[in-house]
């Protein structure tokens, strides 16, 4: 893999880093010169992703920290571990997420509490824990991974989409509150992205991956799934100094779904 230096000297923490968009982002960040701390609840996924990065990029600096993002104390510990390993923190990517498939009319308070704990409180936990270090960086950047459905809406995933919309409001407020501290906050809204999560669900239901790949032709103008790297590249750009005059922005990375 060709190494460049868009994030040379930077340190990033990525939640949900064990797979999918988080893992793809970690690979791109490392390739661009950053040291990366991966946080995920799945220890095996963390170890596999870190090993894969080092195999492809022997000089990569990548650490792992197992944590439930809903746990505030673990968020503080993850940031402390990052500083202990790399001495600084410049970039936070809030990518960890929980899904729920209940209709709004059927969702229980317990379901709401569980998904809010991860998607909103989890994001808040890592922002709060990381902000002192991001401020110290002088050019800190937060990228929150929301969803195109935070903007467009659909049926069947109202709890998920509501929390993802909340992330956009949080991002805008962070942009206002942190501008004086030199910290930028932006959000990306991915469309249908072919991650291991979707592949695993397809296999569990007896559906072939080839068939799965044909089933998102009506959810983007481009008529296909996104590769996780196609979400990681915009995250990389927003995290880099190339986006130094961009804050409070929501970037739709959805193949045009939001204008259909």
């Amino acid at each position: 893999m060709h190494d460049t230096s868009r994030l040379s000297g930077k340190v990033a923490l990525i939640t949900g880093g064990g797979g999918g968009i988080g893992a793809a982002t970690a690979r791109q960040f490392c390739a661009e010169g950053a040291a990366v701390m991966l946080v995920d609840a799945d220890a095996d996924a963390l170890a596999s992703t870190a090993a894969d990065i080092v195999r492809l990029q022997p000089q990569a600096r990548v650490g792992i920290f197992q944590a439930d993002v809903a746990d505030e104390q673990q968020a503080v510990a993850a940031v402390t571990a990052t500083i202990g390993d790399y001495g600084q923190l410049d970039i936070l990517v809030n990518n960890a997420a929980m899904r729920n498939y209940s209709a709004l009319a059927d969702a229980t308070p317990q379901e709401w509490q569980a998904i809010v704990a991860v998607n909103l409180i989890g994001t808040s936990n890592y922002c709060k824990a990381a902000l002192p270090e991001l401020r110290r960086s002088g050019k800190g950047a937060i990228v929150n991974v929301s969803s195109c459905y935070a903007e467009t809406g659909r049926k069947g995933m109202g709890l998920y989409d509501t929390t993802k919309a909340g992330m956009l409001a949080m991002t805008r407020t962070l942009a206002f509150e942190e501008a004086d501290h030199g910290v930028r906050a932006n959000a990306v809204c991915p469309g249908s992205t072919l991650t291991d999560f979707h592949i695993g669900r397809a296999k569990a239901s007896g559906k072939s991956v080839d068939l799965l790949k044909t089933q998102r032709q009506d959810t983007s103008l481009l008529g296909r799934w996104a590769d996780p790297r196609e979400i990681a590249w915009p995250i990389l750009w927003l995290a880099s100094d190339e986006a130094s005059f961009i804050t409070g922005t929501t970037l739709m990375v959805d193949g045009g779904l939001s204008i259909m």
Side-chain angles (χ1 to χ4, degrees), residues 1-86:
M1 182 175 293
H2 178 64
D3 288 345
T4 56
S5 58
R6 295 160 85 187
L7 298 183
S8 179
K10 305 271 191 182
V11 176
L13 186 155
I14 302 173
T15 70
I21 292 169
T25 300
R27 293 184 190 100
Q28 295 302 321
F29 278 24
C30 287
E32 296 284 350
V36 175
M37 178 65 76
L38 301 176
V39 177
D40 203 287
D42 188 332
D44 290 340
L46 280 173
S48 176
T49 295
D52 182 57
I53 291 172
V54 173
R55 177 178 59 82
L56 295 172
Q57 306 173 53
Q59 303 306 313
R61 295 180 297 159
V62 56
I64 59 175
F65 192 94
Q66 183 183 10
D68 175 357
V69 296
D71 189 311
E72 182 181 15
Q73 292 183 341
Q74 289 182 17
V76 172
V79 170
T80 300
T82 304
I83 302 306
D85 286 357
Y86 303 117

Side-chain angles (χ1 to χ4, degrees), residues 90-256:
D90 307 283
I91 300 164
L92 171 65
V93 178
N94 286 303
N95 172 69
M98 176 183 179
R99 290 172 175 266
N100 181 290
Y101 298 94
S102 292
L104 291 174
D106 302 325
T108 66
Q110 291 76 22
E111 287 178 299
W112 274 109
Q113 289 160 5
I115 198 165
V116 167
V118 173
N119 295 1
L120 285 177
I121 296 175
T123 298
S124 175
N125 285 342
Y126 278 80
C127 289
K128 182 178 180 180
L131 275 169
E133 299 300 330
L134 296 175
R135 292 169 176 174
R136 192 171 292 117
S137 166
K139 291 184 177 181
I142 297 171
V143 183
N144 292 326
V145 181
S146 178
S147 167
C148 63
Y149 292 106
E151 293 275 355
T152 63
R154 58 182 162 174
K155 64 180 181 179
M157 289 190 69
L159 280 70
Y160 178 87
D161 296 347
T162 298
T163 57
K164 288 297 186 176
M167 288 181 72
L168 300 184
M170 188 187 302
T171 302
R172 291 188 293 269
T173 301
L174 281 167
F176 272 100
E177 293 182 349
E178 296 303 318
D180 288 345
H181 301 289
V183 178
R184 297 180 298 106
N186 293 289
V188 297
C189 288
S192 298
T193 306
L194 191 59
T195 63
D196 291 339
F197 171 83
H198 292 292
I199 292 172
R201 287 192 75 215
K203 289 180 177 179
S205 66
K207 184 186 300 180
S208 73
V209 175
D210 287 340
L211 177 60
L212 178 67
K213 289 180 179 179
T214 70
Q215 295 186 330
R216 283 296 186 271
Q217 293 183 356
D218 59 349
T219 59
S220 78
L221 290 178
L222 301 180
R224 61 175 177 82
W225 293 83
D227 184 284
R229 292 174 298 176
E230 294 179 292
I231 314 301
W233 289 323
I235 294 172
L236 165 66
W237 181 67
L238 285 172
S240 77
D241 290 341
E242 293 177 9
S244 58
F245 200 59
I246 299 176
T247 194
T249 291
T250 296
L251 179 59
M252 307 305 292
V253 191
D254 63 355

